Amino acid sequence: SAVTTLGGDANQIFWNPAGTALQDERFQAAFSYNKWIADLKHNAAAITYNMPGVGTIGIGFISFGVSDIPADRDIYTAPDLIPFQIDQNPAATYDYKDIALAFNFSRYFFEKLTLGVTAKYVHQKIDDQSVKAIAFDFGSIYKIGIADWQIGARFQNLGSDFKYYDITYNLPLTFSIGSSVKPYKDDNHSVLLAVDGVKGQDGPQ
């Protein structure tokens, strides 16, 4: 996940919005499918297009979820408690799914500096309950130049919160800085070394 300073990649719409900026290329697309442990499914797709003189625009989609989780429901049968029944879904299983739709803009403000922003619509559903949020990511990449040395920073998930019933949950607000260098590079091969430092709002760095 040391990706803060990687540039020219449509997948950066999910990490550092400055990293989607294209120079010579006009169009880029990426798609991934991952059937993970415990039947978790993680899918992502992104498309970016470079508009000369304007910048790079992009759109991305990501989903994450699992189906058919056995439901252990609290069912009130006593007549005086039925009005307090919150869970109205009688199904024996339930699903969980996260979906995010991202809109990105990035550009080279001069030869060495790239800035970008991504606006995200996030929808989460657990059983028959659903919530939504709007969030923004901001990022920058600066090319120092020696051995393709780059430094960068990104700020993710600045936005609204989720609220289930009367309980509020924050999106994972995160600040990251990173650096990368290519100690070896020729016409056909290169070696990239990258490191990130990440600080989450609700945890240690």
Side-chain angles (χ1 to χ4, degrees):
S1 299
V3 297
T4 295
T5 54
L6 304 186
D9 188 341
N11 288 298
Q12 282 286 63
I13 198 171
F14 307 117
W15 297 93
N16 184 350
T20 62
L22 301 175
Q23 282 185 306
D24 300 329
E25 304 90 346
R26 293 297 301 275
F27 172 82
Q28 194 175 86
F31 173 76
S32 66
Y33 168 80
N34 183 14
K35 188 173 182 181
W36 209 31
I37 57 175
D39 289 328
L40 289 165
K41 295 181 178 65
H42 180 223
N43 306 309
I47 297 174
T48 56
Y49 179 74
N50 187 19
M51 302 175 64
V54 178
T56 302
I57 58 173
I59 184 170
F61 171 84
I62 189 167
S63 68
F64 178 82
V66 62
S67 301
D68 298 326
I69 305 169
D72 184 12
R73 304 183 186 276
D74 292 327
I75 304 297
Y76 299 158
T77 57
D80 56 336
L81 294 179
I82 290 177
F84 299 100
Q85 177 72 40
I86 295 176
D87 189 353
Q88 301 294 329
N89 191 341
T93 62
Y94 68 97
D95 301 336
Y96 163 77
K97 194 161 192 177
D98 260 335
I99 295 175
L101 186 62
F103 301 92
N104 169 262
F105 175 76
S106 61
R107 65 168 295 173
Y108 281 84
F109 280 84
F110 55 89
E111 185 178 355
K112 294 186 176 182
L113 177 65
T114 311
L115 300 177
V117 59
T118 296
K120 299 184 292 187
Y121 169 79
V122 185
H123 182 271
Q124 186 180 88
K125 185 175 182 181
I126 302 176
D127 202 14
D128 59 354
Q129 301 296 314
S130 62
V131 292
K132 58 187 177 182
I134 301 294
F136 294 88
D137 300 342
F138 302 92
S140 63
I141 299 175
Y142 183 78
K143 297 180 179 181
I144 296 176
I146 303 172
D148 286 341
W149 184 17
Q150 300 189 131
I151 57 175
R154 53 190 168 100
F155 191 64
Q156 293 180 279
N157 296 321
L158 180 65
S160 56
D161 299 327
F162 288 139
K163 186 174 183 179
Y164 282 102
Y165 301 109
D166 58 346
I167 301 175
T168 300
Y169 298 90
N170 299 322
L171 288 171
L173 192 64
T174 305
F175 175 71
S176 306
I177 57 173
S179 182
S180 64
V181 65
K182 292 182 179 178
Y184 174 79
K185 181 180 179 181
D186 61 26
D187 292 340
N188 300 311
H189 306 88
S190 65
V191 175
L192 173 71
L193 301 178
V195 61
D196 272 17
V198 181
K199 177 65 177 73
Q201 182 185 35
D202 56 354
Q205 62 186 12

